[in-house]
Amino acid sequence: MGVAAVSDRLVQTLVPLEAKSPFELRVDLGRDVPESDVRSALASGDMGFLHSFTTGSAVDGPGIRVVAWTTGCMWRCLYCHNPDTWTLTNGIPVTLTRAVEALRKYRHGLKIMSGGFTLSGGEPLMQDRFAVKLLAAAREMGIHTALDTNGYLGERLSDQELETVSLFLLDIKGWDPERHRRLTGMDISPVLAFARRLADRRKAVWVRFVLVPGLTDNFDDIAHIADFVAGLGVVERVDVLPFHQMGRFKWMELGLSYELESTQPPSAELVARVCSRFQQAGLAAY
Ligand code: SF4
């Protein structure tokens, strides 16, 4: 059975592509796809793996957004809200055609609401060919596109492919290399290099920074991030996202060791103080 046939069969018989929110736990939905089909899907981008499509988001880019949540992520952020998206084959295998059709349904509404399409995850650039094709299809429909990425695999996109994205939602999770590695398991350098490349290409960026008491609230790090981000000259806004425990149940259900069991959300005062450091650097921060 070919990739498209496997995908269509699974999509029709298992879980709907649309979800109420990305906080639905989804596992093993692509486990029946043969390894060779997974490899050819990643190489061609003609099939991808999606946790879900959600609608009505007001926080993943300008206006009201339809969001496709991809699966697959190499990072292991201690505060990850959606660890079920780490594994590629936890997602629903979806042909590019089916994903484009799903998006096409919303195109008129999105234009009326000055919204758009956001590709998030997981890390969407784990499926870079699928990401580029889906974003390009959205652009061809006249839909504003946003890519929510940790930036680590930004080199996978050519300069021309960067142009399929209207807005980058770039997660900057830390500054000090050791603290960043402890938080995410990964090196920060490629993230900063990608941010500089977006600045060189004059691409619009919104930065996202997750504020976790005791983990990402080091003020030296925050000051460095603020000054770096301001120096890029392309960052339209910074979203300071308060840590929450909505993803905790996923860590439990997946049998993962969750270090942030007793971590509380940041106080309103701390959020305001961090926002104000970004604002001091001349940035719009919320
Ligand atoms: S990069 Fe995103 S999806 Fe990946 S582990 Fe971190 S928070 Fe989770």
Side-chain angles (χ1 to χ4, degrees):
M1 190 178 291
V3 167
V6 169
S7 165
D8 288 347
R9 178 173 58 84
L10 289 169
V11 167
Q12 281 159 18
T13 56
L14 288 175
V15 174
L17 192 52
E18 284 81 10
K20 286 204 180 73
S21 89
F23 291 105
E24 281 185 19
L25 180 71
R26 293 188 161 189
V27 293
D28 281 345
L29 300 178
R31 76 175 164 208
D32 291 345
V33 179
E35 179 62 35
S36 57
D37 282 359
V38 173
R39 278 198 300 273
S40 65
L42 289 173
S44 71
D46 290 337
M47 185 180 87
F49 291 81
L50 293 178
H51 174 281
S52 57
F53 261 73
T54 59
T55 57
S57 166
V59 295
D60 295 296
I64 301 297
R65 317 291 297 183
V66 168
V67 184
W69 305 90
T70 61
T71 48
C73 185
M74 292 154 61
W75 290 32
R76 292 294 177 264
C77 301
L78 297 177
Y79 58 61
C80 184
H81 300 147
N82 291 304
D84 52 337
T85 64
W86 292 351
T87 304
L88 185 77
T89 53
N90 274 352
I92 301 171
V94 183
T95 57
L96 179 68
T97 308
R98 184 175 289 270
V100 172
E101 275 168 20
L103 186 55
R104 194 182 302 280
K105 283 191 299 194
Y106 302 110
R107 71 185 191 285
H108 294 305
L110 290 176
K111 280 180 203 160
I112 289 164
M113 292 182 288
S114 304
F117 171 61
T118 300
L119 193 60
S120 186
E123 170 46 54
L125 296 184
M126 288 287 286
Q127 306 184 50
D128 55 288
R129 294 305 87 198
F130 181 71
V132 164
K133 286 186 173 180
L134 187 50
L135 290 162
R139 283 286 283 252
E140 274 166 30
M141 285 185 250
I143 297 173
H144 177 279
T145 57
L147 176 64
D148 180 14
T149 177
N150 62 35
Y152 192 81
L153 300 175
E155 282 194 352
R156 291 185 175 187
L157 301 186
S158 68
D159 287 346
Q160 194 180 355
E161 288 165 352
L162 293 181
E163 300 307 320
T164 61
V165 180
S166 316
L167 172 69
F168 287 83
L169 307 178
L170 182 64
D171 302 314
I172 298 191
K173 296 167 187 285
W175 184 263
D176 174 80
E178 278 316 304
R179 277 194 283 278
H180 188 271
R181 187 171 283 282
R182 167 160 152 62
L183 172 66
T184 67
M186 303 299 278
D187 180 14
I188 192 173
S189 319
V191 178
L192 303 183
F194 186 57
R196 290 188 195 99
R197 182 172 164 221
L198 293 177
D200 289 346
R201 305 288 312 167
R202 307 305 302 164
K203 296 300 299 178
V205 175
W206 290 10
V207 163
R208 302 175 128 191
F209 174 73
V210 179
L211 180 58
V212 191
L215 198 61
T216 67
D217 57 355
N218 178 297
F219 259 76
D220 281 346
D221 285 359
I222 290 165
H224 279 298
I225 295 169
D227 294 341
F228 171 78
V229 164
L232 294 172
V234 291
V235 174
E236 297 176 351
R237 64 181 274 165
V238 177
D239 286 308
V240 176
L241 306 174
F243 167 75
H244 58 69
Q245 291 281 10
M246 283 173 69
R248 176 184 173 277
F249 80 97
K250 290 192 174 183
W251 289 73
M252 305 298 136
E253 293 281 331
L254 295 168
L256 298 166
S257 162
Y258 184 51
E259 280 191 34
L260 305 191
E261 178 73 49
S262 55
T263 301
Q264 299 296 312
S267 64
E269 291 75 23
L270 180 58
V271 175
R273 207 174 141 217
V274 172
C275 279
S276 114
R277 183 58 186 84
F278 282 105
Q279 287 157 355
Q280 260 178 43
L283 296 155
Y286 306 93

